[in-house]
Amino acid sequence: PFSVFFQFWTTSLPLEMYRIRKALLASFIVFGVGMLIGIVSTMDDPDFLGAVIGYEYVIMTEQNIVNGEPMSVYGSGGEMYSFISIAQNNLRVTLMAFVLGIFFSVGSAIYMFFNGIMVGAFQWFFKVRGLLLTSFLTIWVHGAFEISGIVIAGAAGIALGNGFMFPGTLTRMQSLSIAAKRGMKVIIGLFP
């Protein structure tokens, strides 16, 4: 049992990450372009963030800024509640980024793009209020793992769709099955 566990982390998962390296680059680029569009759109229209993530969330965040606790949304409800809610959200987003790849890889790419727009718009929202460093440190300290995980899950989803669209010498179902198994290894590697 321990050898299987060890082999997964030292051989299987790194091999699958190598296999999806082009999809990983695509996922990263799509997310980055989305971030840039989110920033530019929020620069052009300050109400853009509300249209993207919801006006209630923006109002709550603005109220938190007025109260002197701009990032309190991440600590509301206690440490354990915050941990559970953030982990649950991250797992949901990770699974969506992967599963949407079944729609010819485009589903995962659109999901990456939309998430990039949200992050970019949110960062610019704080920059305009003079809180870029505060938001950057708060969002990217936990987001370094979270956002990397979402981009990797998007890559697994793109690889899943590619397995269906480009089966090579296999049947589509054989290729999809192999791509799904490989993608699930990546997703399992992301859960921790």
Side-chain angles (χ1 to χ4, degrees), residues 21 37 75 80 85 146 154 180:
R21 66 192 179 282
I37 289 174
M80 185 55 86
S85 63
E146 174 185 346

Short mmCIF file of all heavy atoms in Angstrom, two decimals, residues 21 37 75 80 85 146 154 180:
data_model
loop_
_atom_site.label_atom_id
_atom_site.label_comp_id
_atom_site.label_asym_id
_atom_site.label_seq_id
_atom_site.Cartn_x
_atom_site.Cartn_y
_atom_site.Cartn_z
N ARG A 21 1.35 18.87 -20.53
CA ARG A 21 2.11 20.12 -20.49
C ARG A 21 1.60 21.16 -21.49
O ARG A 21 1.57 22.35 -21.18
CB ARG A 21 3.60 19.86 -20.66
CG ARG A 21 4.01 19.31 -22.01
CD ARG A 21 5.45 18.81 -22.01
NE ARG A 21 5.85 18.28 -23.28
CZ ARG A 21 5.53 17.07 -23.74
NH1 ARG A 21 4.78 16.27 -23.01
NH2 ARG A 21 5.96 16.65 -24.92
N ILE A 37 -8.23 40.89 -19.39
CA ILE A 37 -9.52 41.44 -19.82
C ILE A 37 -10.33 41.91 -18.61
O ILE A 37 -11.00 42.95 -18.66
CB ILE A 37 -10.29 40.40 -20.67
CG1 ILE A 37 -9.59 40.26 -22.02
CG2 ILE A 37 -11.76 40.79 -20.83
CD1 ILE A 37 -10.14 39.17 -22.91
N GLY A 75 -12.14 35.65 6.48
CA GLY A 75 -12.03 35.21 7.86
C GLY A 75 -13.37 35.18 8.59
O GLY A 75 -13.42 34.93 9.78
N MET A 80 -12.16 27.57 11.23
CA MET A 80 -12.59 26.26 10.72
C MET A 80 -13.66 26.43 9.64
O MET A 80 -13.60 25.78 8.60
CB MET A 80 -13.09 25.37 11.85
CG MET A 80 -13.44 23.96 11.38
SD MET A 80 -12.09 23.13 10.52
CE MET A 80 -11.23 22.43 11.87
N SER A 85 -15.31 26.22 4.04
CA SER A 85 -16.01 26.85 2.92
C SER A 85 -15.08 27.13 1.74
O SER A 85 -15.44 26.92 0.59
CB SER A 85 -16.74 28.11 3.36
OG SER A 85 -15.84 29.08 3.82
N GLU A 146 -4.44 27.75 -4.75
CA GLU A 146 -5.80 27.66 -5.29
C GLU A 146 -5.84 27.93 -6.79
O GLU A 146 -6.39 27.14 -7.56
CB GLU A 146 -6.69 28.67 -4.55
CG GLU A 146 -8.09 28.80 -5.07
CD GLU A 146 -8.86 29.89 -4.35
OE1 GLU A 146 -8.42 30.38 -3.29
OE2 GLU A 146 -9.90 30.28 -4.87
N GLY A 154 -7.98 22.87 -15.13
CA GLY A 154 -8.40 23.27 -16.47
C GLY A 154 -7.59 22.55 -17.53
O GLY A 154 -8.11 22.13 -18.57
N ALA A 180 -9.64 10.31 -19.49
CA ALA A 180 -10.36 10.50 -18.23
C ALA A 180 -9.58 9.93 -17.05
O ALA A 180 -9.47 10.56 -15.99
CB ALA A 180 -11.74 9.87 -18.32
#
